[in-house]
Amino acid sequence: MQKNILVIYYSQTGQLTDIVKNVAQPFEAKKDEYNVTYYNIQMKKDFPFPWSSDVFFNAFPESYLQIPSEILPPSEEVLNKKYDLIIFGYQVWYLTPSIPIISFLKSGYAEQILKDTPVVTISGTRNMWMFSQEKLKVYLKDMKAILVGNIALVDRHDNYTSVLTVVRWMVGGQKAKSGLLPAAGVSDEEINGAGKYGEIIERHLKNNDLDTLQPDLVKNGAVEIRAFLVRVEKVGNKIFTIWSNLIIKKKEKRPLLIKFFKVYLMAAIWVISPIVLVLHLLTTPIFWFKRKRQREYLQGINLK
């Protein structure tokens, strides 16, 4: 009897589409054993790509505060089928699952699809996804979904290079290498090689041992944790909480506050972030064991 696999995703650039389809390929290759369905989340009013700078920064407060927009309903095929496994691909916007993903999770359709079903989450991001995944874990737990695995593919370049390349890509639409700057996003090599994770997932599903899937994925490079970025992300969440609530509450001053936030964010990236890096390096010997425990937790799938 065929097993049903559902692939859920939302992608502006196409990068995440390529990733989830490559992960799903080992299932596609065994059509006698698996029936693979794709569900591309669609917004009633979609976001632009490339972004304009104004629209990009204006999406910040709703994104960080997880305020949903309306999505188009999934097809009856997606809604009325019971799945043996769901592969859930998502983007990160402002240290949080993207508005389309949050909109799906808060739509009412999500619980119908995800409840009592094993889920493997997959993110394709610049580099800071850790606490976004923590937020997603809460949604999945509340819907009684069964998180069995997580894969986090990132831009491997240093933090400052990737800032420049992602802005050029998101606002200018240019992903390819140019001048001194490398190509933006997850490397083509990693995207094309994502099928290896699908093979691991398929093997565990076939052997009915999804409980041991995540350690196998981690052992094969599915989740890299950079302690410095964990620290930056913690600080970023505190700052974003203040800014997002201020912008939402002061509706009449929103355009001006968005401009101030944009300036602040650039200063934080280029001035505050290097200071955090220096402090992180200086305290490494003191917090080595704490950071080791933190890394092991963030590589896992449990929720504190």
Side-chain angles (χ1 to χ4, degrees):
M1 184 176 176
Q2 279 186 317
K3 290 185 176 181
N4 292 319
I5 312 296
L6 177 64
V7 181
I8 301 173
Y9 65 100
Y10 173 87
S11 179
Q12 284 179 297
T13 66
Q15 173 178 267
L16 191 63
T17 304
D18 292 338
I19 290 170
V20 296
K21 288 191 174 181
N22 284 335
V23 171
Q25 187 54 43
F27 295 98
E28 293 272 23
K30 298 181 178 180
K31 293 188 180 295
D32 55 329
E33 297 180 51
Y34 303 101
N35 177 44
V36 182
T37 303
Y38 292 90
Y39 168 40
N40 178 15
I41 297 167
Q42 293 183 302
M43 305 299 297
K44 189 168 184 179
K45 183 181 179 182
D46 207 357
F47 293 89
F49 183 79
W51 295 82
S52 69
S53 179
D54 288 345
V55 174
F56 179 80
F57 285 100
N58 199 51
F60 158 66
E62 284 77 14
S63 180
Y64 184 75
L65 294 174
Q66 302 168 50
I67 298 172
S69 296
E70 191 173 353
I71 66 169
L72 297 177
S75 68
E76 290 300 315
E77 178 192 11
V78 169
L79 286 172
N80 296 325
K81 190 181 291 183
K82 177 60 181 172
Y83 297 97
D84 297 280
L85 178 72
I86 292 175
I87 297 171
F88 194 138
Y90 74 100
Q91 296 174 306
V92 173
W93 295 2
Y94 293 105
L95 308 182
T96 306
S98 69
I99 289 176
I101 292 297
I102 292 297
S103 300
F104 165 69
L105 291 170
K106 291 188 172 183
S107 67
Y109 303 119
E111 185 170 4
Q112 182 178 342
I113 295 169
L114 296 167
K115 186 178 180 181
D116 299 326
T117 305
V119 176
V120 175
T121 51
I122 304 176
S123 56
T125 66
R126 184 174 75 86
N127 57 22
M128 284 185 273
W129 57 269
M130 286 77 73
F131 291 94
S132 179
Q133 178 71 7
E134 291 299 290
K135 295 168 188 177
L136 184 55
K137 284 180 185 177
V138 174
Y139 282 101
L140 295 176
K141 181 180 180 181
D142 288 347
M143 292 176 190
K144 296 182 172 58
I146 307 164
L147 182 61
V148 295
N150 178 50
I151 300 165
L153 299 185
V154 299
D155 185 331
R156 302 285 181 182
H157 295 99
D158 68 83
N159 190 42
Y160 309 107
T161 298
S162 65
V163 167
L164 294 173
T165 57
V166 79
V167 170
R168 183 188 62 180
W169 187 19
M170 294 297 103
V171 178
Q174 184 180 348
K175 184 179 191 295
K177 177 180 178 181
S178 176
L180 297 175
L181 291 177
V186 180
S187 71
D188 289 343
E189 181 181 3
E190 287 202 61
I191 292 172
N192 295 333
K196 72 177 182 180
Y197 301 122
E199 291 172 359
I200 294 168
I201 297 165
E202 190 274 333
R203 184 170 67 248
H204 280 262
L205 181 62
K206 179 180 285 187
N207 295 334
N208 293 313
D209 63 347
L210 289 173
D211 289 344
T212 62
L213 171 61
Q214 187 60 17
D216 208 356
L217 289 172
V218 171
K219 184 174 68 177
N220 284 274
V223 184
E224 177 193 54
I225 303 295
R226 303 184 210 176
F228 160 62
L229 293 177
V230 175
R231 180 62 185 159
V232 172
E233 202 171 338
K234 279 185 176 180
V235 173
N237 271 279
K238 291 178 182 178
I239 293 168
F240 282 9
T241 298
I242 295 169
W243 273 103
S244 58
N245 280 295
L246 178 64
I247 294 168
I248 287 292
K249 289 174 183 175
K250 302 288 185 179
K251 290 183 173 63
E252 72 285 356
K253 295 183 179 178
R254 179 174 178 130
L256 181 61
L257 289 170
I258 291 287
K259 288 179 181 177
F260 284 149
F261 169 71
K262 180 179 178 180
V263 172
Y264 177 84
L265 186 59
M266 292 301 104
I269 291 170
W270 297 107
V271 179
I272 299 174
S273 181
I275 296 171
V276 174
L277 175 58
V278 172
L279 292 174
H280 170 80
L281 293 173
L282 290 175
T283 56
T284 293
I286 301 171
F287 296 111
W288 192 88
F289 288 105
K290 179 180 178 181
R291 288 171 183 168
K292 181 176 181 291
R293 290 194 300 271
Q294 183 180 61
R295 181 178 67 251
E296 290 170 351
Y297 168 74
L298 291 171
Q299 285 182 321
I301 54 173
N302 294 323
L303 183 64
K304 283 182 179 178

